[in-house]
């Protein structure tokens, strides 16, 4: 999903790269729409992002499209705070016709990380339940991504901790999909008021969580075995190398010369 000028655009390509269909969500009220997250499930395409209500007001939207021809099947009622810049960023679908949207609710000088659960009723979709996270600094929090794995949700984003001179800290959270409450949440600060943000998350078959991140503008990768962080690295100064930037302490086997 991409944007063109002020319109949100969804396009399907075939295996050879030819355009199969294009669906456009046009702008209204002198404001723009932006598609941020996309998921496929059961012959449908789910898209989330921000809908421009007015020049000073953006809401979270969720649309369902027919995967075969790109027709709009339903648009869930928009969600947001009046006259603020709210947006959906990530999207995931479980096995029970629930769609989960990760994003933010913005209010004045701060924003809360937001996670919404929508029910797909075939002919319509509606927000079933939502939760927010506001850290103790009352600053900026955001969810960029959500993934569903092993019966749980995992969100990736950041929380702003200017109150303790830490800037933006990576925040990865395991969430119960029924209550949307946190099973655990892990944050990381690289120090020196750097800005660290998690933009995506995936989970392997053994429960390890991987998050694509940026740290002060540098791309990198987190890998950790819950509930402990493991290793983070970023591109090194030479091709095919990586600079280890942070790692947890590890008990090595007796006799190891590593």
């Amino acid at each position: 999903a991409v944007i063109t000028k002020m319109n949100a655009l969804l396009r399907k390509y075939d295996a050879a790269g030819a355009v199969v269909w294009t669906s456009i969500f046009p702008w209204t009220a002198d404001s723009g729409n932006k598609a941020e997250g996309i998921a496929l499930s059961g012959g449908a395409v789910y898209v989330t992002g921000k809908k421009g209500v007015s020049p000073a007001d953006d809401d979270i939207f969720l649309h369902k499209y027919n995967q075969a021809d790109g027709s709009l099947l339903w648009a869930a009622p928009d969600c947001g705070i009046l006259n603020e810049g709210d947006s959906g960023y990530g999207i995931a679908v479980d096995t029970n016709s629930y769609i989960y949207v990760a994003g933010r609710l913005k209010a004045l000088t701060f924003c809360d990380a937001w996670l919404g659960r929508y029910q797909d009723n075939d002919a319509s979709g509606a927000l079933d339940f939502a939760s927010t996270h506001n850290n103790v600094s009352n600053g900026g929090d955001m969810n960029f991504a959500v993934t569903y794995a092993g019966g749980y949700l995992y969100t990736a984003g950041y929380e702003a901790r200017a109150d303790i001179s830490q800037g933006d800290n990576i925040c990865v959270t395991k969430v119960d999909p029924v209550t949307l409450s946190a099973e655990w949440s892990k944050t990381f600060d690289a120090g020196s008021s750097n800005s660290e943000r998690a933009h995506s998350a995936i989970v392997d078959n053994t429960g390890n969580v991987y998050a694509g991140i940026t740290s002060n503008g540098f791309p990198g990768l987190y890998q950790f075995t819950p509930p402990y962080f493991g290793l983070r690295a970023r591109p090194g100064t030479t091709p095919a190398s990586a600079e280890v930037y942070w790692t947890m302490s590890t008990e090595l086997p007796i006799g190891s010369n590593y």
Side-chain angles (χ1 to χ4, degrees), residues 66-135:
N66 188 312
Q67 188 174 337
D69 61 15
S71 59
L72 178 65
L73 299 178
W74 52 250
D78 303 326
C79 179
I81 298 174
L82 183 63
N83 294 328
E84 293 294 348
D86 310 307
S87 181
Y89 291 102
I91 188 168
V93 184
D94 70 9
T95 57
N96 298 308
S97 298
Y98 285 108
I99 304 99
Y100 303 89
V101 173
R104 73 169 187 182
L105 294 181
K106 189 176 184 301
L108 299 177
T109 58
F110 68 93
C111 59
D112 288 350
W114 186 85
L115 180 63
R117 183 180 68 198
Y118 291 78
Q119 175 72 59
D120 185 347
N121 300 308
D122 292 331
S124 64
L127 182 66
D128 177 61
F129 185 63
S131 67
T132 59
H133 171 68
N134 179 26
N135 76 73

Side-chain angles (χ1 to χ4, degrees), residues 123-213:
S124 64
L127 182 66
D128 177 61
F129 185 63
S131 67
T132 59
H133 171 68
N134 179 26
N135 76 73
V136 295
S137 74
N138 200 34
D141 303 280
M142 190 177 299
N143 283 328
F144 281 122
V146 58
T147 189
Y148 180 81
Y152 288 93
L153 300 170
Y154 297 83
T155 61
Y158 72 89
E159 60 176 28
R161 295 304 307 272
D163 59 317
I164 50 177
S165 302
Q166 289 188 346
D168 296 341
N169 292 345
I170 288 168
C171 184
V172 175
T173 305
K174 181 180 180 180
V175 179
D176 184 324
V178 177
T179 64
L180 297 189
S181 59
E183 295 285 314
W184 51 253
S185 185
K186 297 297 176 181
T187 62
F188 175 72
D189 168 53
S192 303
S193 299
N194 287 338
S195 175
E196 301 91 27
R197 299 182 175 187
H199 298 273
S200 61
I202 57 173
V203 184
D204 68 19
N205 293 332
T206 59
N208 295 307
V209 183
Y210 303 80
I213 63 98

